[in-house]
Amino acid sequence: MKINHIVALSLLVSSSLAIAETIKGTNYQSPYCGCCKDWVKHMEDNGFELDVEYVQDMTAKKIDLGIRPQYASCHTAEIQGYTFEGHVPAEDIQRFIDSKPSRMVGLAVPGMPMGSPGMEYKDQKDPFEVVAFDENGNTMVWARHNQ
């Protein structure tokens, strides 16, 4: 009887692991930015696996990835063909990837709002929006936080 329970448990664990596949990507950031490292840790704590590529000229990299100045922040990630700018919460990225939007190419949190992932400081939580953007720079609000 115990062997059947062990077999059933091992099948349950292996099927759960197959479902929870790690989402991989690359984060481009300055080698001198601490909040970027904190954001990567936030992503890893939420099931993402990000390679970190240190870039001296982030402006050129952002232009190459289609990030417009009005929604720029300190780091930029590429995950599953989409671009994520700044301190976007992992839950919003997960929802975006799951929905596979055809027109939007990424999400951004303009600036560096206190209380966003990687920008935690004591109990300070500034309100911020996550915007979805398309190739032409059109945006829509994807999520609101700390409202």
Side-chain angles (χ1 to χ4, degrees), residues 75 85 95 99-100:
H75 58 268
E85 177 67 8
R95 185 168 60 94
S99 69
K100 296 178 178 42

Side-chain angles (χ1 to χ4, degrees), residues 111-126:
M112 299 168 66
M114 296 306 296
S116 61
M119 289 296 296
E120 294 89 356
Y121 180 72
K122 297 183 181 179
D123 291 333
Q124 188 173 346
K125 293 189 182 282
D126 295 342

